[in-house]
Amino acid sequence: MSWYEEKILPRLINVACSTRPARRQREKLVPRARGDVLEIGFGSGLNLPYYDRARVRRIWGLEPSDGMRRLASDAIRRVPLEVELIDLPGEDIPLEDNSVDTVLVTYTLCTIPEAERALEGIRRVLQPEGELLYCEHGKAPDPGVLKWQERLNPVWKRFSGGCNIQRDIPAILGQSGFLVEDDNRMYLPGPRALSYNYWGAARIR
């Protein structure tokens, strides 16, 4: 990783993902996690305050960035939860088949180069009755906004750790063998090209 990716980018992402609209999205989704949880793209631990401790046994946090894991260490110490960090990218999940009750993915599928391969791994480790909880920004429904996404995306990806602002998240989930059971979509406050959000829950089809 470059110096920018290791030292600067984690802090920029941490600030961008700590906005009030993003916090509200986490408040809606994270408390639904239960049992043994795998969080893909654990980042700096921004989801930790929103877990329901009475429902969660343990959390595996998959996070490839050393800079992010360093930021996360303080957050982990502040919560009474069993958290184990795994320093691998989202495409590589070192857990046994059918070993996870909930997979949580927040603002991460946009940055994984091979999102379909990561979702294949998620299907493998998720129990048949388990749930994938997701909150992502992505492809806007309005043609005018979508044009701006197409213009901005190449430059945005270069400076944001590979973040792709025009992925159709529910479509990717469906193509990867998931059935979206709770499908919510809206613009959050902020630049419209960056703020169209998808969130909800999916199960293995």
Side-chain angles (χ1 to χ4, degrees):
M1 284 189 177
S2 68
W3 181 83
Y4 171 79
E5 292 173 319
E6 189 57 36
K7 301 295 184 181
I8 303 300
L9 185 60
R11 296 186 181 278
L12 291 178
I13 292 174
N14 191 52
V15 171
C17 292
S18 301
T19 63
R20 186 176 182 184
R23 293 198 305 270
R24 286 181 172 175
Q25 293 299 92
R26 299 178 196 279
E27 289 173 359
K28 296 174 188 176
L29 191 70
V30 179
R32 296 167 59 176
R34 62 176 181 83
D36 293 331
V37 179
L38 169 64
E39 185 174 334
I40 304 289
F42 188 81
S44 60
L46 292 175
N47 287 325
L48 286 176
Y50 305 107
Y51 280 104
D52 183 342
R53 301 173 207 163
R55 289 168 54 87
V56 173
R57 280 189 297 272
R58 78 173 89 176
I59 301 166
W60 288 288
L62 205 67
E63 178 50 60
S65 166
D66 288 338
M68 280 298 191
R69 292 197 305 276
R70 282 195 296 270
L71 291 177
S73 61
D74 288 337
I76 292 171
R77 283 194 290 268
R78 290 195 296 267
V79 296
L81 291 166
E82 181 181 340
V83 181
E84 179 182 343
L85 289 181
I86 303 170
D87 59 347
L88 290 172
E91 295 93 339
D92 301 312
I93 304 176
L95 299 179
E96 296 181 1
D97 295 1
N98 306 322
S99 60
V100 172
D101 299 295
T102 307
V103 176
L104 177 67
V105 188
T106 58
Y107 303 112
T108 298
L109 286 176
C110 60
T111 63
I112 298 176
E114 299 180 71
E116 292 81 3
R117 188 159 77 86
L119 287 165
E120 181 181 341
I122 289 171
R123 286 185 60 203
R124 179 184 64 79
V125 301
L126 192 60
Q127 293 188 13
E129 300 303 317
E131 193 171 41
L132 168 62
L133 302 174
Y134 66 93
C135 180
E136 300 284 341
H137 66 167
K139 183 178 180 180
D142 302 292
V145 179
L146 184 56
K147 284 183 179 179
W148 274 107
Q149 288 183 323
E150 291 169 351
R151 292 170 185 160
L152 291 172
N153 203 46
V155 176
W156 180 259
K157 287 173 69 174
R158 189 179 306 170
F159 295 102
S160 61
C163 175
N164 189 325
I165 60 176
Q166 55 183 147
R167 283 185 172 168
D168 186 333
I169 300 302
I172 293 173
L173 293 175
Q175 293 161 9
S176 300
F178 285 91
L179 176 64
V180 176
E181 295 185 331
D182 181 16
D183 184 357
N184 304 279
R185 312 176 185 202
M186 65 178 283
Y187 288 102
L188 301 187
R192 288 168 72 84
L194 305 176
S195 62
Y196 191 71
N197 262 227
Y198 302 92
W199 75 96
R203 297 186 185 274
I204 297 172
R205 187 181 296 127

